[in-house]
Amino acid sequence: MIPLAEPQLGGNEARYLAECIRTGMVSSVGPYVERFEREFAAAVGVRHAVACASGTAALHVALRLAGARAGRTVAVSTFTFIASANAVHYTGATPLLVDSEPRTWNLDAELLHDEVVRRARLGRPLPDVVEVVHALGHPADVAPLLELRDRFGVRLVEDAAEALGAAYTGGPMDGRQVGTLGDLGCFSFNGNKTITTGGGGMIVTDEADLARRARHLTTQAKLPGSGYTHDTVGYNYRLTNLAAAVGVAQLEQLPRFLAAKRALAARYEQMLRAVPVVPAPREPWASPSHWLYSILLPGPEPDRDGVIGALRAAGIGVRPLWLPVHRQAPYAAAARLGGSVAEQLHRRGLSLPSSTGLSTADQGRTVSALAAALRDPAAALPTTRLRT
Ligand SMILES: *Cc1c(COP(=O)(O)O)cnc(C)c1O
């Protein structure tokens, strides 16, 4: 089976882990946690980084620090992994689910911008926070969102869980990486993400006070000193030294991982020229990290499950793009903005094998199987039925 995305742990991971075990430094206080935070901040180009137990935990704390709480509204992408919306729910805030735009598949920032301006003109309540997701490794268009922050004080939190290393090119944001433009940015180190710590996340920010409060909230809001005194309800959200040791080793390999993902995307683009699919977005102002290389099948209602079944039967690990958050049971009644772009992405989209170690031969096999399945999905479907 060609896996969808498989971690590579061939660097210093085992050596650093062995050191943690030898020294007994396994818990959330330890030199690798500090080192991971320092080196991660330098790698993405921000002043401060706070390691967390997961990407979801990072988002929860970042949203709370941006002001999300009961009675407030957070505008969030509907085309995303459910964790982006769950983090809003944990804070008690009300989500406003925003549709995608077709160029990058990310939150339609122009649409949200115009809606906020319209509400302001009518004297109606505005969203308090925007949580923008950089889906699948392509940067979202954040310029209209930064304008909302400047004009109306709408805070910006970036869910960059899937987009470590993605950046903007040209213009005033040239060279800036995703996660560094909002008030706070969040990353994930889950097993299938660009780098992994087994499980983990990071909050980044340029504001020292936000970083200090993030660290405080992730450590049970315990005040310094010998007594167990806490000034608010915090969380046990810190990353362990064991996990951070793996993170430091993974970070050493990040440039190589990103180069591999970008080479893989370039090869897919080349190989897919003869196949009638829409390739992954790549805007001229963006340098995507291509976390999972994804495509759209042709036509408004393609037999996506047939194609996925055929590819899986051929031993190729693929998966559909997400069912949008507004179609998920817990959020079916949530307020929405926009149309059906996210739904179309789900109906037509799938992610192809994207491991950093994927061989050119396996990529070729993937594209051939995809082309064959598009010619006749039913023919290759005798044994497997897609479970969704
Ligand atoms: C993976 C992911 C998260 C959650 O990260 P975990 O580390 O799994 O908690 C949040 N948002 C998006 C878009 C993700 O892909």
Side-chain angles (χ1 to χ4, degrees):
M1 189 84 187
I2 303 175
L4 180 72
E6 201 178 38
Q8 274 192 47
L9 301 158
N12 285 319
E13 289 85 351
R15 197 159 70 82
Y16 295 165
L17 276 173
E19 186 188 323
C20 295
I21 290 163
R22 200 176 54 245
T23 57
M25 301 286 267
V26 294
S27 195
S28 62
V29 179
Y32 279 112
V33 177
E34 278 167 41
R35 187 169 153 196
F36 189 35
E37 291 178 337
R38 197 171 58 244
E39 293 179 0
F40 190 88
V44 302
V46 287
R47 291 214 180 89
H48 309 282
V50 180
C52 299
S54 70
T56 311
L59 284 169
H60 180 191
V61 168
L63 287 168
R64 185 169 153 183
L65 289 174
R69 55 179 156 85
R72 298 213 166 156
T73 300
V74 177
V76 57
S77 314
T78 196
F79 178 68
T80 185
F81 178 55
I82 193 88
S84 314
N86 285 347
V88 176
H89 185 87
Y90 300 160
T91 67
T94 306
L96 169 63
L97 303 174
V98 185
D99 197 20
S100 295
E101 45 87 8
R103 288 173 311 136
T104 68
W105 305 355
N106 285 314
L107 180 140
D108 191 333
E110 297 283 353
L111 177 75
L112 179 60
H113 174 273
D114 293 352
E115 172 67 10
V116 171
V117 170
R118 196 181 67 85
R119 287 187 187 188
R121 202 181 295 130
L122 297 173
R124 290 180 45 204
L126 308 183
D128 302 280
V129 182
V130 176
E131 179 194 351
V132 66
V133 180
H134 303 285
L136 302 163
H138 195 294
D141 176 13
V142 292
L145 308 177
L146 294 173
E147 196 189 309
L148 291 181
R149 185 175 60 177
D150 294 344
R151 262 181 85 181
F152 303 106
V154 181
R155 314 282 309 264
L156 183 61
V157 172
E158 297 178 68
D159 179 349
E162 301 174 358
L164 175 59
Y168 297 88
T169 53
M173 301 195 304
D174 188 41
R176 292 286 294 272
Q177 291 188 43
V178 297
T180 68
L181 292 141
D183 298 283
L184 300 128
C186 298
F187 294 86
S188 164
F189 312 123
N190 192 15
N192 66 7
K193 297 285 160 66
T194 305
I195 65 169
T196 185
T197 58
M202 194 74 84
I203 301 172
V204 300
T205 181
D206 278 328
E207 288 180 49
D209 189 53
L210 286 177
R212 185 189 56 74
R213 287 161 65 203
R215 193 160 281 123
H216 184 60
L217 282 177
T218 57
T219 49
Q220 304 279 28
K222 183 174 171 291
L223 293 169
S226 54
Y228 277 84
T229 320
H230 308 261
D231 61 353
T232 182
V233 178
Y235 314 97
N236 178 13
Y237 275 175
R238 283 295 270 166
L239 192 70
T240 66
N241 200 50
L242 284 172
V246 176
V248 169
Q250 287 271 292
L251 202 54
E252 290 168 351
Q253 300 163 81
L254 176 62
R256 190 165 65 72
F257 291 167
L258 286 171
K261 295 262 189 199
R262 287 181 172 131
L264 202 115
R267 280 204 303 272
Y268 268 133
E269 271 178 26
Q270 181 79 33
M271 291 173 170
L272 286 167
R273 271 196 200 132
V275 184
V277 295
V278 178
R282 190 155 59 81
E283 285 293 290
W285 46 265
S287 172
S289 61
H290 295 292
W291 169 58
L292 286 185
Y293 191 88
S294 305
I295 54 154
L296 303 184
L297 299 176
E301 297 277 352
D303 181 11
R304 185 207 58 198
D305 288 354
V307 170
I308 289 177
L311 287 167
R312 288 187 183 163
I316 295 163
V318 292
R319 73 171 194 208
L321 297 184
W322 306 286
L323 183 66
V325 173
H326 67 266
R327 294 267 312 276
Q328 307 283 358
Y331 299 100
R336 291 177 58 194
L337 184 62
S340 59
V341 176
E343 305 223 2
Q344 288 170 41
L345 295 173
H346 172 64
R347 267 203 305 276
R348 296 177 55 193
L350 49 115
S351 299
L352 302 178
S354 301
S355 303
T356 45
L358 184 68
S359 70
T360 308
D362 280 349
Q363 245 190 311
R365 233 182 86 202
T366 299
V367 173
S368 304
L370 176 64
L374 281 171
R375 282 193 296 272
D376 186 7
L381 245 182
T383 51
T384 43
R385 288 217 28 192
L386 182 66
R387 288 183 302 270
T388 44

